[in-house]
Amino acid sequence: MSSDAVISVHDVSKRFGGLMAVKNCSLSVERGSITGLIGPNGAGKSTLFNMVAGNFAPTSGKIIFDGQDITGLKPHQLFKLGMLRTFQIAHEFSNMTALENLMMVPGDQPGESLGTLWFRPSIARAREIEVKQKALDVIDFLKLGHVKDELAGNLSGGQKKLLELGRTMMVDAKVVLLDEVAAGVNKTLLNDLAANIERMNSELGYTFFVIEHDMDLIARLCDPVIVMAQGEVIAKGTMEELRANPMIVEAYFGGPVEAVQ
């Protein structure tokens, strides 16, 4: 494991009844990287990803995040530590505007306290102004200004994915877990989405851990790429290196090298 790994997975396994979905997996996500996780259906990648995200607790092994043991912690606990996840199907508040969706993200806002609203309203107002400005900055960064006052439920699939990405920027996440970000997104908006992920990584220093079936997107964004098969990590490298490895091609694609080109 690297000394600069922000996520370290140590000998993690997950059993569902008689099925061992993940077997003694170890991997790391380097701080400042965009790390991809790929594998065929049934490889265990979604199960492993869900354990890192706090949706499943490992049967054995441990997961370290930014130096802290987070094994078994829930998603809301990981949120407070700076690990956020986007979903294959966007989870927007449909009847709120895009701007309001972003403003909902930061926790422990003074305006949520009835006592503060009554007795110290200036504090609540000042924080609301601060949060709104942050949301406007995020909308500007993502080039969503033309839909900031549109109900989120009316946005396109790609715009909803951009909005989810924006949510992670509202709390300056240490790591963003991207779950099938390309699903349901047209090519034009997917290019915008990928460009924003690259900008967040290069300009703002965000670390991403990506699970994705779109190999072109993985090749564009991710270095390194981790490959799983039959519940185990079998390789790690650049997409170019993996495509050139006949053993990996056979394990992942069950076919000749041409299948991944």
Side-chain angles (χ1 to χ4, degrees):
M1 295 290 177
S2 167
S3 60
D4 199 29
V6 68
I7 296 175
S8 297
V9 175
H10 298 271
D11 296 318
V12 162
S13 297
K14 181 63 178 179
R15 182 183 292 277
F16 296 100
L19 172 66
M20 184 68 83
V22 174
K23 308 172 189 175
N24 302 317
C25 276
S26 296
L27 59 83
S28 62
V29 176
E30 305 297 312
R31 195 181 310 276
S33 73
I34 305 178
T35 298
L37 180 65
I38 64 173
N41 291 333
K45 61 187 184 298
S46 293
T47 300
L48 180 61
F49 199 77
N50 276 311
M51 286 190 284
V52 173
N55 298 100
F56 299 151
T59 303
S60 61
K62 65 180 180 179
I63 302 170
I64 306 297
F65 173 55
D66 205 23
Q68 179 174 340
D69 190 338
I70 61 166
T71 311
L73 292 188
K74 301 298 183 183
H76 71 276
Q77 295 171 302
L78 297 178
F79 175 90
K80 291 181 178 180
L81 295 176
M83 183 189 293
L84 278 71
R85 178 182 186 172
T86 70
F87 291 88
Q88 181 175 353
I89 300 174
H91 289 59
E92 77 283 353
F93 296 104
S94 300
N95 294 319
M96 300 177 71
T97 68
L99 180 63
E100 290 167 341
N101 265 260
L102 295 182
M103 292 179 66
M104 286 287 292
V105 176
D108 301 322
Q109 296 188 45
E112 296 172 356
S113 167
L114 192 58
T116 302
L117 280 175
W118 280 357
F119 300 112
R120 307 182 73 184
S122 61
I123 292 177
R125 282 198 299 271
R127 177 58 176 153
E128 183 178 359
I129 290 170
E130 180 184 330
V131 170
K132 184 175 182 178
Q133 186 56 57
K134 174 76 170 179
L136 289 170
D137 290 343
V138 169
I139 280 175
D140 183 59
F141 184 91
L142 297 175
K143 298 180 173 61
L144 285 174
H146 59 296
V147 295
K148 69 180 176 68
D149 296 318
E150 183 68 59
L151 293 181
N154 295 337
L155 302 182
S156 70
Q159 289 169 338
K160 289 178 181 179
K161 291 289 181 74
L162 281 170
L163 190 62
E164 284 226 333
L165 200 59
R167 287 199 192 113
T168 70
M169 298 176 67
M170 289 299 296
V171 289
D172 298 321
K174 295 178 183 176
V175 173
V176 178
L177 307 179
L178 296 179
D179 184 358
E180 298 288 354
V181 71
V185 181
N186 67 47
K187 287 294 183 183
T188 300
L189 276 175
L190 183 57
N191 185 62
D192 291 343
L193 195 58
N196 279 298
I197 292 167
E198 290 169 332
R199 289 178 62 211
M200 287 172 68
N201 175 251
S202 63
E203 297 177 20
L204 305 178
Y206 277 71
T207 301
F208 291 93
F209 189 28
V210 184
I211 184 171
E212 181 58 62
H213 281 97
D214 187 319
M215 292 297 101
D216 289 336
L217 185 63
I218 286 284
R220 171 177 173 172
L221 292 178
C222 300
D223 183 9
V225 179
I226 298 166
V227 185
M228 289 187 68
Q230 299 181 335
E232 301 177 282
V233 172
I234 62 171
K236 180 178 181 178
T238 66
M239 200 63 184
E240 183 177 356
E241 292 168 342
L242 297 176
R243 281 173 163 160
N245 187 326
M247 181 190 72
I248 301 304
V249 174
E250 179 64 29
Y252 182 83
F253 297 94
V257 174
E258 287 75 18
V260 295
Q261 294 179 339

